[in-house]
Amino acid sequence: YGVKADGVTSDDVALGKALTACSAKGGVLWLPAGRILLTGAASTTSLLKNCAIVGAGVPAGNTTDASLGTTILLTSTSIRPFICDISWSVTGINFYWPNQTNGTTPYPPLITDDGSKPCGHVIWEKNVIVNSYDGFKQTPTVPWGDWQFANSVMFAVHEMSHLSKLGDGFSYVNVRFEPGPWLTMCNFVC
């Protein structure tokens, strides 16, 4: 689909096409090692549905050295990168906001819903989120449920999750949260 993963070329459109194809047919999308740059080009927001997204692993510790795995660099301050739907998973990816240094830039959340459809049947495993303003943010009227978070790290994150209407089955196993320059990191209202 044309993903360059060189950290210089905008991969928004190519990754969007790959995710659309995977969501339409179901299956697994394998992402290469390297730096996949998402800049918000062409206002691309990718739907996460019926697809297992698998990276080449994440760097050890808090480094963002993409030669050790798959890193998605996010730089848009206006475009939401991913919209949550049903039946998807993400494994082995480092999500990194390279321009977020002190918590003052409210980048869009990594994953949100579309404002109408439920978000669920999700597996989030062996991923790292670094310098995110918000990790996962829910529209208050849209139910989210059946999420499994495991073996992942969130470092320097303003709010890991902003969830207000939960369905059944939120599981956190071996997940490390580090707020970094922010005072809060989770907002659950159940």
Side-chain angles (χ1 to χ4, degrees):
Y1 293 92
V3 172
K4 300 292 185 196
D6 61 9
V8 177
T9 306
S10 173
D11 287 317
D12 294 74
V13 174
L15 182 60
K17 287 179 183 177
L19 285 168
T20 298
C22 186
S23 293
K25 296 179 182 180
V28 178
L29 174 61
W30 296 93
L31 296 179
R35 293 174 179 238
I36 298 170
L37 179 62
L38 299 183
T39 64
S43 301
T44 302
T45 298
S46 297
L47 180 68
L48 301 175
K49 179 179 181 178
N50 299 327
C51 184
I53 303 149
V54 180
V58 297
N62 292 321
T63 180
T64 57
D65 183 354
S67 66
L68 302 174
T70 300
T71 297
I72 294 182
L73 302 169
L74 299 122
T75 61
S76 174
T77 58
S78 61
I79 304 301
R80 298 179 295 172
F82 302 105
I83 300 293
C84 171
D85 204 300
I86 59 165
S87 299
W88 55 274
S89 65
V90 176
T91 305
I93 300 174
N94 179 31
F95 297 91
Y96 179 58
W97 285 256
N99 301 326
Q100 179 72 271
T101 56
N102 60 8
T104 59
T105 306
Y107 285 88
L110 176 62
I111 296 174
T112 59
D113 54 64
D114 72 353
S116 64
K117 292 184 235 163
C119 173
H121 308 291
V122 174
I123 298 172
W124 182 270
E125 185 170 18
K126 298 180 183 172
N127 298 303
V128 176
I129 296 178
V130 180
N131 286 351
S132 169
Y133 190 80
D134 290 321
F136 308 95
K137 192 164 187 177
Q138 171 190 33
T139 302
T141 57
V142 176
W144 286 23
D146 192 18
W147 276 64
Q148 298 175 31
F149 293 88
N151 306 313
S152 295
V153 175
M154 298 183 85
F155 179 75
V157 176
H158 173 257
E159 277 191 1
M160 185 277 297
S161 299
H162 189 101
L163 306 174
S164 57
K165 184 174 184 180
L166 302 181
D168 293 331
F170 271 78
S171 170
Y172 291 86
V173 178
N174 195 28
V175 178
R176 179 176 165 199
F177 307 107
E178 295 283 340
W182 296 285
L183 298 176
T184 182
M185 59 183 164
C186 295
N187 185 358
F188 290 101
V189 180
C190 302

